[in-house]
Amino acid sequence: MSVALQTPAAPVRDRVETPFRRFISEFAESKLALLGLAVFTVIALVAILAPWIAPQNPYDLAVLDIMDGRLEPGARNGADDMTYWLGTDDQGRDMLSAIMYGLRISLAVGAGSALLAAIVGASLGLLAAYVGGRTDSAIMRVVDLQLSFPAILVALMILAFLGKSVMNVVIAIVVVEWAYYARTVRGTALVERRREYIEAAQCLALPTHRILFRHLLPNCLPPLIVIATMQVARAIALEATLSFLGLGVPITEPSLGLLIANGYEYMLSGKYWISFYPGIALLVTIVSINLMGDHLRDVLNPRLKK
């Protein structure tokens, strides 16, 4: 009787759990965070693709007709065979198109100012923690002075001096936000600078800039990423406030805040859609970012997990 030889089954290779996979799995545990990510992704895609998917270019004066101003949502323009699904503003701009283009400016200002503020604040925070002494005291006294004033007041004073433009708005937001990054990074860097890898780098006589940005900064990234996410939402809200007050972006490049301001005077006359729909777009954008940032804080800082 022959005996069939069975080939042993190949061992199942365990899936190696890398830090990135662990981060993804922990982030996916929150349905609200995933919802915020999905909504923000859609908003970002709409903003990026606005020139191709928007029914109208609200910046092109040749296609605007003042006679189409303040039309109700769902109104139709027979001449252009176009339906204004969200109505029009006082200039005859399609509100849906204006919101799409307004999202481009709001997101660009929020992301750009948050990135620049992170670069400035993180650099000064690392320098203060690593050098210490008078350098640390001087930088932190400036941080304390900066944080003692309301952000909106400082931004208004800067824009009153510089004037209205997208770049000036970015500069104003960077000035009022860099201190948050500096204080956060300094607190983390004070702990990291006492660890063995920093002492080893110092014993090897590595340049200071290499120790700061190649060794110390990567270990300060988790809290930096969290605060950057929150500050993007804060920057978008601050830009909208400045534009609503008339000191933000110019009228030729309306953001969501300026669109809200343009329709504010028509609210009492029943033309609610001019301010209402840009306000909803602004609210949804900020809430989606905050949903991601709130859970991101828990994932990157296990001590905060409930």
Side-chain angles (χ1 to χ4, degrees), residues 9 17 57 66 100 110 113 120 129 154 169 171 183 242 280 298:
E17 186 179 13
N57 184 355
I66 194 67
M100 290 181 178
S113 60
V120 174
V154 176
V169 173
I171 293 174
R183 172 171 285 183
L242 294 171
I280 291 297
D298 296 339

Side-chain angles (χ1 to χ4, degrees), residues 113-124:
S113 60
L115 177 61
L116 292 177
I119 294 174
V120 174
S123 301
L124 293 176

Side-chain angles (χ1 to χ4, degrees), residues 100-120:
M100 290 181 178
Y101 276 82
L103 283 170
R104 291 168 60 87
I105 296 179
S106 295
L107 293 179
V109 170
S113 60
L115 177 61
L116 292 177
I119 294 174
V120 174

Side-chain angles (χ1 to χ4, degrees), residues 144-284:
D144 293 337
L145 181 64
Q146 172 70 52
L147 296 178
S148 64
F149 290 95
I152 185 65
L153 178 60
V154 176
L156 285 173
M157 290 190 298
I158 294 173
L159 288 175
F161 177 75
L162 296 179
K164 294 192 297 184
S165 73
V166 174
M167 182 55 63
N168 290 343
V169 173
V170 172
I171 293 174
I173 296 177
V174 170
V175 170
V176 301
E177 283 195 346
W178 72 269
Y180 296 96
Y181 295 94
R183 172 171 285 183
T184 301
V185 172
R186 174 184 176 270
T188 306
L190 284 175
V191 177
E192 294 295 329
R193 71 184 293 267
R194 298 184 178 91
R195 299 189 183 276
E196 291 78 5
Y197 70 92
I198 296 296
E199 296 179 358
Q202 293 172 339
C203 292
L204 293 174
L206 295 180
T208 301
H209 67 86
R210 184 173 180 180
I211 296 176
L212 291 179
F213 297 106
R214 292 287 299 276
H215 300 281
L216 193 56
L217 179 60
N219 291 281
C220 299
L221 283 181
L224 185 62
I225 294 173
V226 173
I227 192 174
T229 305
M230 296 297 189
Q231 291 301 105
V232 169
R234 187 171 183 268
I236 293 175
L238 183 57
E239 180 277 324
T241 303
L242 294 171
S243 297
F244 182 84
L245 296 176
L247 288 175
V249 298
I251 194 171
T252 56
E253 300 177 6
S255 65
L256 295 179
L258 191 57
L259 292 175
I260 296 173
N262 290 341
Y264 182 73
E265 60 181 304
Y266 301 107
M267 292 289 288
L268 296 179
S269 60
K271 310 295 195 254
Y272 67 91
W273 58 87
I274 304 178
S275 289
F276 178 74
Y277 291 120
I280 291 297
L282 178 63
L283 177 64
V284 171

Side-chain angles (χ1 to χ4, degrees), residues 55-58 63-78 80 82-99 259-260 262-264 266-267 269-278:
Q56 178 191 83
N57 184 355
V63 302
L64 300 182
D65 187 355
I66 194 67
M67 300 302 295
D68 292 333
R70 300 189 293 277
L71 295 180
E72 296 183 354
R76 188 174 180 83
N77 187 336
D80 298 333
M82 176 178 175
T83 301
Y84 300 114
W85 297 107
L86 301 183
T88 62
D89 64 1
D90 57 337
Q91 301 297 320
R93 289 179 295 203
D94 174 45
M95 289 305 304
L96 178 60
S97 303
I99 290 173
L259 292 175
I260 296 173
N262 290 341
Y264 182 73
Y266 301 107
M267 292 289 288
S269 60
K271 310 295 195 254
Y272 67 91
W273 58 87
I274 304 178
S275 289
F276 178 74
Y277 291 120

